[in-house]
Structure formats: structure tokens, C-alpha cells
Amino acid sequence: MIHNGEPVGTGTNISDAQIQSQISVLNEDFKRLNADATNTPAQFQSVAGTMDVEFVLALQDPEGLATTGIVRVQGTKPSWQQADDYQLKSLSYWRSDRYLNIWVCNLTDPKGIIGYAQFPVSPLPGLEESSNDALTDGIVLHYDVTGSVDDGPFDLDPKFNKGRTATHEVGHFLGLRHIWGDGNNCLGTDYVDDTPPQPGPTNNCPSHPQVTCGGNKMFQNYLDYTDDRCMNLFTIKQVERMDVVINNSPRRASLLTSPGSVPPTVVANDLGIRSILNPTTSACVGIVTPQIQVRNYGSNSITGFTLRVSVNGNSQNANFTQTLNPLDAAIISLPPLTLAPGASLLEFEVLSVNGGPDNKATNNYQSLAVLTTATVSPPLFETFSGSLPANWQIQNPDGLTTWQIVAANNGLSGNTAMRLNFYDYENEGAVDMLILPPVNLAASAQALLQFDVAYAPYPGQPNDRLQVSVSTVCSETGSLIIYNKAAPALQTAPQTSSNFSPTGAAQWRTESINLGAYLGQPQVQLRFKATNGFGNNLFLDNIRIVTGSFLDVALEQINRPTRVSCESNVSPELLIRNQGSETINSVRAAIQINQGAVVNQTISSLNLGTGQSMTLALTPLSLPPGSNTISVTVDQPNGLMDDVPQNNSVTRPAIVDGRGEPIPLRQNFESASTWRVAT
Ligand SMILES: [Zn+2]
């Protein structure tokens, strides 16, 4: 239950009874024990299917503790859309190989969606686009379509008041497609041959028969869009398809043997491994001190225990003397171990408790696959020609669209770049990570990250995002975001509803990020994280980390002319800062008033050290009276190219108002004013 803070049983925070009603509906509908099964038309009675399945609210939680199976969490926003999928589900999640997560919330999707499901991963036709992301697996329901009016006076949508939205969505969760096959003109298929073809969905509650596609529609099927009171069957072939999924698919077959459906038992001596805290799935090469959290799940107090830790089968045991009362938890550091480059399997096990055996084996063991990458020395330069180097990684949790090397015009013939095809990527909110090998900056005096980016937004889809994070322990956990742009900041080309690909150098931008904060660190790992907003395509190219000298003068602000002044003749004054690695002795300043001629001047003898700021006085100029726009660019440090051009320019208004008014001054805003507004 993702609710809005109401008391239990009111508003979005629906009652336990309403939730239990929904479970009852699922059991009745799937087992064809629904009271309205008799409403199935005679011609469809012979194909009506019964599934031998039982839905129960969980009796033990992922830790093995007793539960009602209902978790109530106040949401971080008052209403939710399908595009919020990852944010919604992260608020409450139980491991989806053992639990069918049903998120009930105030789902007010602009497309009118009142529920949705994650399809199963399966070789069955029609399931090719299923996400493999365990963290989003399950179904989502609008709170006022959850439960049945037959079970209590619940506040339900009059059209969807018999709990059939969940029946429909669990049908999807077990591999069923819509009865009309999501096509039109009777040509779509649901890959099930005892459901008749339909030209599209059926809405409302028509009377039988509805003749179409050369026969009668089966609008009573749960996989149509009819009102709840009109639905009453799955077919035999639909049940066969769901049987294949529930017996074979990941995070479906394992539900059948989940401990979640069995009430927990408490034993005397029971220390369990609650979680592995360190390392995470990604780590640096070298020595790591593993940390785990253990918890006393038994009825006895624990005074001592023995743990085993192993890496790729090489194990060592460690004894601990520590008092843990029932349900107490503790973080335990284990003996350090060494991670070699490549994949390692870390295993943790409880060997004994209070000098004897642990009485419950099921929570005594956890393992973790850790990937480490050998450190490389700078400079690093990746042009994405050919295939991705073996020491770069792509993380693609949903198994769908991800980073891919494709042709990309940047003015050089045959150029290729890394692309994320947001244009065709419907799984909004999905994250795809491009991970660099760790770079050794221990001996570097300066370091600069640069990359080229090309991106055109899709109109009205503002959520495509690119972030860069940096870690000194080779883990996403605890990493720091040093670059974060979505449209329009990310944009380098005009927005378009066509499939974007850059047409030349002008549609690329070079981004530069100073890595000065990480100098001296032996393992600096960067991650390029793309978040899908189902917008338009994002391209990356020429990712480089340079540790040689670089020049970067930044124009911090225009001190003079001020935003409003009564003088036409001003002596411009700028605040600049040396963000590069070399002392800057000269720069070029270019001033442009009202997009007129550019006036350049070179200022010398600056002696501006690394990290230092100074004011720069320029030769006087004359501003016309009224509202002006002044643009200033400071570049060409030491007469050379600036390596970080993003911070060289400032454009802002400069108003000259030389008129005087007689005193006493009065302004009552009764008539057109001679005053000006500066923003
Ligand atoms: Zn559907």
C-alpha cells in the first residue's frame, strides 16, 4: 500500500479487508469459482479454463519473520503514473523471486491506466519485450479498483468494482496478452487459439453476442477491457499458457516453493545472515574487508558464533564473542580477503551458534558475485570504434535496450559512437550504465574528464537523463554524481519527433569536468548512467581522461556594467578564475552589445595561478540608453585553446537609464510609467 497518509481504511490507504477481498477474487477467478461463471455464454462454456493455483498473502517476510503480507508506506508524491514506475516500486519491494509484489497506489496515469504488470521472461511468442529487472517485477493497481464490492462496502470505481483489474494484470504477469492481440482489423494475436479474434478492445458492458471478425467477440474474457461485471472467464488455452510460465519462468516458478507462503517457526539457536554490506557487486582489485549484518532470529540469546567467509572457494573461519538478544542485529567485519581482477564468488555462512549447531539452516548462507576490473593508467581515450574494450562494462538490468555502438556523424568520415536508443525504449525510468575501468590518479598533478555528447529531445518527453558518477572504491554505492543533465540542458540539436541521429559536428558538444578532487586516488572509477524518459536518442563519443596540462579560464560574472546604470560610458570589469592546471598570463576578452560587432582585446601580464580568481578591467565602452544585452566571452588563455569552453561566456541585460525626475518624486502607478523593469 503506497498511500497518502490517511488512516488505514480511508482514501488511498485501503483496509486489510479490501486487500483480502482482492486475494479472494484472484482465487475465485483463476479457479473459476467466480459466482458469475454462469454468465459465460453457452458457446464459450466448453473452452472456459480452470487454473490450479492459490494466491495467499505472505505469511513470512523476506527475513523469515511473521507478516500479514501487507506493507503500508506513505508515498513521496500524491499520485502516480506508469512513468514513475521505478520511483514507486523502490518505496517498498520484496525479492520478486519469492513474492508477487502488488503495489496499490493512487494511479492517475494520463493514459487512463488503472493497473499494469511486468510480463514474464519466457521464450513463448509475444513475450520478447519482457523486462528482466527483478526490482520492478510485479503488478500495480489503482486503489479504487482493488477488491470487490461483493465483499464489503468499499469505495470502488463503479465500472471496475469487482477486482477484475488484478485478475487481468496477474494474467499479464503470467504471460497472457490482450485478447485482441494489441492489433487492429482482426489481425492481432494473443498467441492463444481458443480466443476468437477481435478488432480491438471492448469497453463498457455490451450484451452478447457482439458479431465481429466473422464470429462473436469473447468480451467476457478477463484479458479484454470490459467492465468488471461483464467479465467471467479465462480460456483453457490461456490457462495452458499461464501454466507454462508459472512452471518455467524466472521469478514465477520460484514463487511455487517460496517460504513466504508458510508461517515461520521460531527455533532456539538461530543466527541468520540479514544482508551483505561490503563489498557490493562491483569492487576494486585488492584487499577488501567484508562486512555483513547478522540477526538473532531465535528465541535464545546468542553469546558467541562462528562464521565462514570464502572467495572462490578459499575459505576461512572467524569466531565472534558478542551478545545478541532475540531480534538484535549487528554489523560484523570479517577477515580481509583479496579480490583478483575478474569475477569472484564471495560466500558467507553461519557455522555455529552458542557453541553448537544453528537450528535453522535456511538463513545461514548468502553469496555475492563481485566483478572487479584492473586499474588502468591515464591518459584514457575511448573512441568507440569497433567493439567495446573488455575492461569496460555495460549494466542493463531490464535486459532490453542498452548502450550500443552505432554510426554517428560528427563530421569525420565513418565515425561511430555509443548510443542509447531512448526513442524506441518504452520501459520508462530504466537505467543503463556504462562503466569505465578504474583509472590510477595517484601520481597525477591534474586530471580532466572530457566527452562528446549529442542529444535531441522528443517534444513533451523531458525525462531522458545522463549522469556521470565517480567512485574511489569501484562501487556505485556511495558514488558521487559530478554531471547531471536532462533536456533542455542535455540538448545539442533541435527537438524532433523523428528518430534522432546527429547530422554533423555542429550537433555535438564537448563536456569537460575537472577531476581535481580525485588527484592522489589510485582507483577512480566513472559511470555514465542513462535514465530512460522514452524521449529521443543520446550519443556519447570520445570519452577521455587527460592528466597532462590543460588550460581553463572561467568567466564567473560581469561586475560592470551593472544591470542598471545611469551612465552610458562604463569601464567593464570581469571576474575570472583559473580552473586549469597552468598559470595563465593572458586571455582574450570579447564583448558584444546587442548582438552587434564583437570587440576583442587581449589582456596580458595576469600571472593568475591555478585556482585563483581576479578582476579584469577592460577598456571603456559606450552603451546606448535603454535596455541592452551584453555578451562577454573570455578565452584563449596564454593565446591557446581553452580546454573547457563551457564556462567562458556570460550574457545578461545591462540597462542604461540616464533620465532624471524632479523631486519630490511620486510614482502611484496610475498611468504608463517611465520606470523600467530589470530581470
Ligand atoms: Zn492489459
Side-chain angles (χ1 to χ4, degrees):
M1 275 305 318
I2 310 296
H3 59 82
N4 287 340
E6 305 95 326
V8 173
T10 52
T12 63
N13 199 4
I14 62 173
S15 66
D16 287 6
Q18 192 170 342
I19 292 166
Q20 186 57 58
S21 162
Q22 182 60 71
I23 303 300
S24 301
V25 169
L26 288 174
N27 284 317
E28 290 159 10
D29 286 352
F30 278 79
K31 289 193 268 199
R32 197 160 169 75
L33 298 173
N34 49 309
D36 53 6
T38 51
N39 294 349
T40 301
Q43 73 168 116
F44 298 140
Q45 288 281 356
S46 62
V47 296
T50 299
M51 188 164 179
D52 182 17
V53 63
E54 175 91 18
F55 298 87
V56 291
L57 286 166
L59 296 167
Q60 61 173 295
D61 72 9
E63 281 194 70
L65 301 173
T67 178
T68 60
I70 300 169
V71 179
R72 297 179 184 274
V73 177
Q74 183 161 354
T76 47
K77 48 193 293 188
S79 64
W80 300 86
Q81 306 178 7
Q82 193 173 5
D84 303 321
D85 193 49
Y86 280 74
Q87 188 187 348
L88 171 77
K89 291 174 175 176
S90 67
L91 295 175
S92 177
Y93 166 82
W94 285 4
R95 51 184 292 183
S96 53
D97 59 338
R98 291 189 177 174
Y99 300 89
L100 162 51
N101 287 286
I102 300 179
W103 290 271
V104 179
C105 67
N106 185 23
L107 184 64
T108 54
D109 191 277
K111 288 175 292 212
I113 291 168
I114 53 175
Y116 62 92
Q118 184 161 317
F119 281 103
V121 172
S122 167
L124 287 174
L127 298 173
E128 296 83 0
E129 297 297 309
S130 302
S131 169
N132 195 29
D133 196 334
L135 299 180
T136 52
D137 210 354
I139 74 171
V140 176
L141 297 174
H142 187 35
Y143 75 95
D144 80 351
V145 301
T146 302
S148 171
V149 73
D150 296 337
D151 295 329
F154 309 130
D155 178 20
L156 290 162
D157 184 316
K159 289 167 73 72
F160 307 107
N161 59 2
K162 289 169 78 69
R164 261 70 193 252
T165 304
T167 305
H168 176 109
E169 299 307 336
V170 175
H172 284 319
F173 177 82
L174 295 176
L176 297 188
R177 300 295 309 251
H178 288 136
I179 187 170
W180 69 96
D182 297 312
N184 46 35
N185 300 326
C186 311
L187 296 173
T189 177
D190 58 357
Y191 307 95
V192 165
D193 59 16
D194 59 1
T195 53
Q198 286 191 187
T202 312
N203 294 303
N204 304 314
C205 189
S207 58
H208 187 77
Q210 296 287 313
V211 181
T212 182
C213 304
N216 293 341
K217 288 169 81 170
M218 190 192 277
F219 62 82
Q220 302 84 1
N221 194 282
Y222 295 124
L223 269 293
D224 206 336
Y225 272 1
T226 348
D227 293 352
D228 278 7
R229 65 193 163 91
C230 220
M231 293 179 158
N232 49 52
L233 83 154
F234 289 117
T235 66
I236 290 170
K237 297 286 187 183
Q238 282 178 319
V239 170
E240 283 179 8
R241 187 172 160 96
M242 291 193 283
D243 272 334
V244 170
V245 166
I246 206 168
N247 285 303
N248 296 285
S249 284
R251 299 183 300 278
R252 304 293 184 275
S254 55
L255 296 176
L256 301 178
T257 53
S258 170
S261 61
V262 183
T265 53
V266 177
V267 296
N269 290 327
D270 181 16
L271 185 72
I273 298 174
R274 195 182 195 186
S275 58
I276 300 169
L277 302 174
N278 188 53
T280 61
T281 53
S282 169
C284 289
V285 171
I287 294 171
V288 63
T289 299
Q291 278 192 323
I292 63 173
Q293 190 177 41
V294 297
R295 194 171 189 193
N296 181 359
Y297 296 105
S299 55
N300 282 351
S301 285
I302 293 173
T303 54
F305 49 91
T306 304
L307 302 177
R308 168 180 289 170
V309 57
S310 72
V311 55
N312 295 331
N314 299 316
S315 66
Q316 48 187 320
N317 299 346
N319 298 314
F320 297 88
T321 303
Q322 187 161 353
T323 300
L324 291 172
N325 293 317
L327 294 181
D328 278 359
I331 293 172
I332 304 294
S333 292
L334 290 151
L337 47 84
T338 302
L339 295 174
S344 297
L345 180 67
L346 268 62
E347 296 173 283
F348 302 90
E349 193 174 358
V350 176
L351 292 185
S352 68
V353 176
N354 290 340
D358 184 289
N359 299 138
K360 190 189 275 185
T362 50
N363 55 18
N364 284 352
Y365 174 88
Q366 282 196 26
S367 66
L368 177 74
V370 181
L371 194 60
T372 56
T373 308
T375 303
V376 298
S377 296
L380 177 147
F381 204 107
E382 180 52 50
T383 60
F384 303 113
S385 47
S387 55
L388 192 68
N391 58 357
W392 287 55
Q393 300 168 48
I394 289 173
Q395 271 180 8
N396 176 21
D398 66 6
L400 301 173
T401 303
T402 193
W403 293 107
Q404 189 184 13
I405 295 174
V406 298
N409 188 344
N410 67 350
L412 302 174
S413 78
N415 185 62
T416 52
M418 198 53 105
R419 178 189 67 181
L420 224 155
N421 184 349
F422 289 141
Y423 187 81
D424 292 317
Y425 196 2
E426 294 189 21
N427 189 17
E428 283 187 65
V431 166
D432 290 88
M433 201 91 79
L434 178 65
I435 306 173
L436 280 66
V439 178
N440 184 354
L441 298 181
S444 301
Q446 59 269 329
L448 183 69
L449 166 69
Q450 293 191 305
F451 57 93
D452 300 337
V453 61
Y455 174 72
Y458 187 100
Q461 294 288 91
N463 295 325
D464 296 335
R465 183 172 295 277
L466 177 66
Q467 294 169 309
V468 181
S469 68
V470 58
S471 167
T472 55
V473 294
C474 313
S475 167
E476 195 198 352
T477 308
S479 64
L480 196 75
I481 292 170
I482 56 173
Y483 175 95
N484 185 4
K485 286 187 180 178
L490 189 57
Q491 180 173 0
T492 66
Q495 70 170 15
T496 174
S497 53
S498 302
N499 198 337
F500 170 68
S501 190
T503 56
Q507 295 195 335
W508 290 83
R509 179 176 64 226
T510 298
E511 304 281 34
S512 302
I513 301 163
N514 197 328
L515 298 177
Y518 301 95
L519 300 177
Q521 294 284 350
Q523 309 201 74
V524 177
Q525 190 168 43
L526 296 163
R527 286 171 160 74
F528 285 76
K529 179 180 179 182
T531 304
N532 176 32
F534 195 24
N536 216 329
N537 301 326
L538 171 68
F539 294 79
L540 284 180
D541 206 358
N542 301 319
I543 296 178
R544 62 261 194 199
I545 296 174
V546 291
T547 51
S549 62
F550 64 95
L551 291 165
D552 177 19
V553 60
L555 174 56
E556 307 255 275
Q557 63 181 38
I558 303 170
N559 291 343
R560 280 210 302 269
T562 53
R563 283 174 181 267
V564 182
S565 161
C566 49
E567 297 290 337
S568 270
N569 293 317
V570 292
S571 297
E573 189 182 284
L574 312 175
L575 180 66
I576 63 169
R577 180 180 154 88
N578 180 357
Q579 299 195 158
S581 64
E582 305 296 301
T583 297
I584 294 175
N585 287 308
S586 70
V587 295
R588 179 182 70 172
I591 299 189
Q592 189 182 29
I593 307 296
N594 299 332
Q595 303 191 324
V598 177
V599 178
N600 288 317
Q601 52 188 297
T602 299
I603 305 97
S604 305
S605 305
L606 299 176
N607 194 27
L608 182 62
T610 295
Q612 292 181 337
S613 300
M614 70 181 296
T615 54
L616 206 61
L618 305 182
T619 53
L621 58 81
S622 181
L623 287 171
S627 295
N628 302 295
T629 299
I630 181 168
S631 297
V632 181
T633 298
V634 176
D635 61 4
Q636 297 203 353
N638 297 340
L640 300 169
M641 206 178 84
D642 190 305
D643 290 303
V644 189
Q646 284 79 20
N647 53 21
N648 287 16
S649 300
V650 171
T651 296
R652 68 154 169 80
I655 296 169
V656 175
D657 195 343
R659 297 160 305 163
E661 291 194 34
I663 51 174
L665 175 69
R666 166 174 286 199
Q667 175 58 276
N668 57 13
F669 303 106
E670 293 294 332
S671 54
S673 169
T674 56
W675 291 22
R676 294 178 194 277
V677 174
T679 60

